[in-house]
Amino acid sequence: MPRLVSHPDEVKIVSRRFGQGATNIDRYLELDGYTAVRQAIEKGPEWIVAEMKASNLRGRGGAGFPTGMKWSFVPKQSEKPKYVLVNGDESEPGTCKDHLIFLHDPHAVIEGCIIAGLAVGAKTGFIYLRGEYRYLLTIMEKAIADAYAKGFLGKGIFGSSFDFEIISQTGAGAYEVGEESALMESLEGKRGIPRIRPPFPAVVGLYGGPTVINNAETIASVSHILNMGGEAYAKIGSNRNGGTRLFCISGHAERPGVYELPMGYNLKKMIYEVAGGIRGGRELKAVVPGGSSTPVLLPSEIDIGMDFDQVGKAGSMLGSGGVVVLDETVCMVEFALRTIQFYQHESCGWCIPCREGTDWLKKTLTRFHAGGGEAKDIDNIRYLAENMLGRTFCPLGDAAAMPTIAFIKKFRQEFEDHLNGKPCPYAKRPVGELVGV
Amino acid sequence: MSLTSIAENPKPGSTIFSPELAARFDKLVTLYPRRRSALIPMLLYAQDEIGYVSDAAIAEIAQRLDITVLDVRNVLTYYSMLRTKPVGKYNVQVCTNISCMLRGGQEILAHCKDRLGIGHKETTPDGLFSLEEVECIGACSWAPAVQVNYDFHEELTPESMDALLDEYRSKGGQ
């Protein structure tokens, strides 16, 4: 069972039912469960969307798109059925927050999904978990069955005239499927390759119908927002970044864990106070602020507020909330190689710049780390990565290129130190141990 | 796996799956707006029962969804958790992605190789264990983490990994 952590600076909203036994529907009801959805039925879609807009909630999957605005893009009239799709295909390395949501508070996902359905006029919701989360699907399916038994799902939910169905399933191992259009392909029983946009899913999505796709944490926030009011939620966060976020701290922190902190919380404080500093009192070398695809930050760059705008201004991205802490013992070439190895493995192969680019980056970095690199490789790696940017259907190509460019830009000296036929001067591990997955 | 080897078409009404799974499939295909959406769950559940996705399973799933065998294979080969060959009773999947790597994931992998005497995607001669190096499994804050079949094990050390393997070994021997 994943260890739960706590810190006085935390503002527990999404995580407030963690460890409270809320997988049990009666316990969930005791803890104010299914109150927001009753209010939503009573007050109607316009009220829901207005509260969501006021909340300044931005998508927790990584892109940070305002949720209320996303919902308002769904056409009111549609010949084809509309759908809500909850993206629980959490796969960005460094990210494990949805894992805890499904484990501790599955009904919050169901409640948020119903509310999203009411807001856009959808009658069916899908909850898609990554394949590795099979034990969480079992929890989710039990929660859904309990909700049906109480009349919270099905025909005439909560005694109203609304119908709402939820279907949950897992994927079968594919990072790419976390991308919204590939996710729809996968749910339609196909290979998870991206679709070209426009049209956007809000207009033409799942089975050709208008579809709202939100991250599981976004959806789990919805009932809390309606209960506390959009404005009150917005006030907890920073400018244009409402509420709190589950930050997954991993790597060389003294106390890694998933902490719920207000948007805009200082990154330095997050590492040194909330997560207890660097393991063993070592020096900090670098921080990956939002999952493996986000450009690395130097220790001199971490005195920033963790929201979409401030991290963007610092040249990186808030991403999925996965804060990976690296101490002085890490070899950045090896770290870059392991990062690119992942994207090479996960590239779906649909777009050539991503398929070939990640492969060449992996080959070059592998040779480089083993001590067989050449001086020109450093610029070649950067040149290759820069030419992948923006040239693919989905952001996977960018996700591979952006961190690579940052590693070279910020740790060029370390790459240079690897030259002259010398094996890695930083890693304690013997080189050549990295096996292709 | 041969893409051209095709199991005989199953007879309508007959099934290679257990009655429970066959009943589950009957229900699953009616859940979605389109039958084909049930494909990935069906492949996973078939694999859970048989141990891998066999040619006969592919043929029957294709028939149940009214799609071709090639359609099924096309999807099957895309997803990394789906396999067309049997593995050991306990499939030990060691994450070595960044968060686990920083906290000793590669050492756990090397330790497992040593203790089990097998490499990546290999199976012990007694068929009890398989070993696999996997990408991020979503347990980053509790690294290093390992999944044995569908069960997660977090914050491992070489010692606790040994204890875990022993536990599975004694469970599997029964």
Side-chain angles (χ1 to χ4, degrees):
Chain A
M1 186 77 117
R3 184 177 38 82
L4 289 176
V5 287
S6 202
H7 188 273
D9 280 8
E10 276 190 286
V11 179
K12 290 189 189 268
I13 295 176
V14 173
S15 64
R16 60 176 276 246
R17 298 193 193 95
F18 288 6
Q20 308 286 315
T23 50
N24 179 300
I25 193 164
D26 293 315
R27 181 73 184 130
Y28 181 76
L29 285 164
E30 273 172 30
L31 297 167
D32 301 328
Y34 293 113
T35 51
V37 66
R38 290 174 214 261
Q39 243 196 110
I41 290 170
E42 205 178 294
K43 294 185 177 162
E46 271 104 60
W47 174 79
I48 304 171
V49 173
E51 289 297 322
M52 291 305 292
K53 281 187 172 168
S55 76
N56 281 340
L57 173 70
R58 292 168 69 171
R60 299 299 192 236
F65 195 83
T67 307
M69 201 187 288
K70 197 184 234 185
W71 292 7
S72 69
F73 288 158
V74 176
K76 292 220 161 43
Q77 303 299 326
S78 166
E79 275 178 29
K80 292 196 169 174
K82 302 180 213 176
Y83 301 101
V84 176
L85 175 45
V86 181
N87 186 348
D89 191 65
E90 171 170 76
S91 305
E92 174 83 359
T95 319
C96 51
K97 62 194 177 60
D98 301 341
H99 190 146
L100 290 183
I101 294 172
F102 292 123
L103 178 61
H104 292 284
D105 207 2
H107 287 287
V109 180
I110 297 172
E111 189 173 0
C113 185
I114 303 171
I115 294 168
L118 291 167
V120 302
K123 293 192 182 327
T124 311
F126 296 91
I127 300 173
Y128 187 111
L129 284 69
R130 65 178 299 182
E132 288 80 358
Y133 289 175
R134 171 63 73 79
Y135 88 108
L136 301 173
L137 179 70
T138 309
I139 295 170
M140 200 70 233
E141 283 181 336
K142 166 82 167 58
I144 291 170
D146 291 346
Y148 270 104
K150 294 249 189 220
F152 300 168
L153 286 171
K155 301 264 175 234
I157 56 168
F158 299 94
S160 72
S161 58
F162 295 103
D163 304 337
F164 200 78
E165 307 280 342
I166 290 185
I167 299 158
S168 66
Q169 71 160 75
T170 72
Y175 168 77
E176 171 59 15
V177 168
E179 192 278 326
E180 60 176 17
S181 67
L183 178 62
M184 296 189 292
E185 288 287 301
S186 180
L187 198 51
E188 291 182 11
K190 298 178 226 161
R191 290 170 80 91
I193 54 172
R195 296 177 182 173
I196 198 159
R197 278 144 292 177
F200 289 96
V203 184
V204 182
L206 201 54
Y207 310 111
T211 305
V212 155
I213 306 171
N214 285 125
N215 175 260
E217 186 188 351
T218 309
I219 286 289
S221 308
V222 171
S223 62
H224 301 292
I225 289 169
L226 296 192
N227 276 338
M228 72 197 298
E231 267 181 46
Y233 182 83
K235 272 191 197 134
I236 296 167
S238 54
N239 187 29
R240 302 204 309 128
N241 287 265
T244 57
R245 164 145 224 200
L246 297 175
F247 289 100
C248 321
I249 303 179
S250 71
H252 293 145
E254 193 69 64
R255 286 194 300 272
V258 178
Y259 297 90
E260 183 166 10
L261 295 160
M263 291 291 276
Y265 193 89
N266 185 280
L267 176 57
K268 196 170 183 176
K269 210 172 157 197
M270 194 184 292
I271 294 168
Y272 282 97
E273 291 179 27
V274 177
I278 313 304
R279 190 169 63 158
R282 291 204 183 97
E283 288 293 314
L284 178 69
K285 185 170 201 170
V287 181
V288 176
S292 63
S293 64
T294 60
V296 67
L297 296 174
L298 294 168
S300 58
E301 295 171 318
I302 64 166
D303 197 3
I304 51 167
M306 286 291 271
D307 66 31
F308 289 102
D309 304 315
Q310 294 182 66
V311 182
K313 224 172 125 190
S316 188
M317 293 188 306
L318 188 64
S320 60
V323 179
V324 188
V325 180
L326 284 69
D327 77 14
E328 56 188 322
T329 64
V330 180
C331 165
M332 295 310 291
V333 179
E334 184 182 23
F335 194 80
L337 169 60
R338 188 64 189 86
T339 303
I340 209 67
Q341 211 175 23
F342 170 73
Y343 290 103
Q344 189 268 346
H345 181 257
E346 299 299 332
S347 174
C348 78
W350 189 240
C351 312
I352 296 163
C354 173
R355 182 184 68 213
E356 299 301 315
T358 52
D359 203 46
W360 276 106
L361 286 175
K362 179 183 153 184
K363 281 178 185 158
T364 315
L365 282 164
T366 302
R367 183 178 68 177
F368 205 98
H369 183 59
E374 292 172 32
K376 64 177 183 188
D377 285 343
I378 304 175
D379 287 323
N380 273 348
I381 292 167
R382 186 168 168 177
Y383 176 74
L384 218 154
E386 281 170 354
N387 278 286
M388 289 161 68
L389 284 178
R391 297 211 163 95
T392 50
F393 275 13
C394 92
L396 199 150
D398 290 358
M402 288 182 306
T404 308
I405 295 166
F407 289 133
I408 300 254
K409 214 156 98 183
K410 295 181 181 176
F411 293 96
R412 193 180 179 98
Q413 184 60 48
E414 224 165 286
F415 280 80
E416 285 172 357
D417 289 348
H418 275 72
L419 292 170
N420 310 319
K422 266 194 275 177
C424 175
Y426 297 92
K428 295 195 192 102
R429 202 171 12 255
V431 287
E433 280 286 307
L434 274 167
V435 197
V437 186
Chain B
M1 181 191 71
S2 157
L3 283 171
T4 50
S5 78
I6 293 170
E8 268 182 57
N9 278 340
K11 291 188 190 76
S14 75
T15 179
I16 64 153
F17 302 114
S18 66
E20 295 76 28
L21 187 58
R24 192 173 181 187
F25 283 173
D26 287 341
K27 191 174 165 228
L28 203 58
V29 296
T30 64
L31 273 185
Y32 297 89
R34 289 183 199 162
R35 288 173 84 84
R36 184 175 172 154
S37 281
L39 176 56
I40 293 159
M42 285 170 88
L43 289 168
L44 280 166
Y45 299 147
Q47 173 167 289
D48 290 345
E49 184 165 289
I50 305 170
Y52 66 105
V53 187
S54 64
D55 287 350
I58 292 170
E60 185 175 329
I61 289 170
Q63 195 179 61
R64 281 174 176 269
L65 295 177
D66 200 20
I67 56 179
T68 66
V69 164
L70 194 60
D71 287 332
V72 178
R73 287 194 189 281
N74 200 0
V75 170
L76 169 62
T77 50
Y78 177 84
Y79 295 92
S80 62
M81 287 172 67
L82 297 171
R83 52 181 182 257
T84 50
K85 286 197 182 101
V87 289
K89 188 171 181 181
Y90 302 114
N91 189 25
V92 181
Q93 301 147 82
V94 184
C95 175
T96 62
N97 208 307
I98 53 171
S99 299
C100 282
M101 170 177 129
L102 294 175
R103 293 188 83 94
Q106 283 159 330
E107 285 77 4
I108 297 287
L109 177 67
H111 190 75
C112 287
K113 282 181 180 169
D114 187 48
R115 298 310 290 250
L116 298 172
I118 50 173
H120 173 60
K121 289 209 172 175
E122 289 178 358
T123 303
T124 54
D126 61 3
L128 204 52
F129 291 105
S130 289
L131 184 61
E132 205 179 325
E133 180 183 7
V134 292
E135 293 296 2
C136 184
I137 54 176
C140 317
S141 291
W142 319 291
V146 162
Q147 237 186 324
V148 181
N149 298 343
Y150 289 119
D151 296 331
F152 278 84
H153 302 279
E154 298 101 359
E155 301 185 313
L156 292 161
T157 60
E159 293 73 38
S160 62
M161 189 70 224
D162 275 343
L164 189 64
L165 291 177
D166 284 345
E167 207 178 294
Y168 278 108
R169 192 173 285 118
S170 65
K171 206 159 73 173
Q174 281 163 10

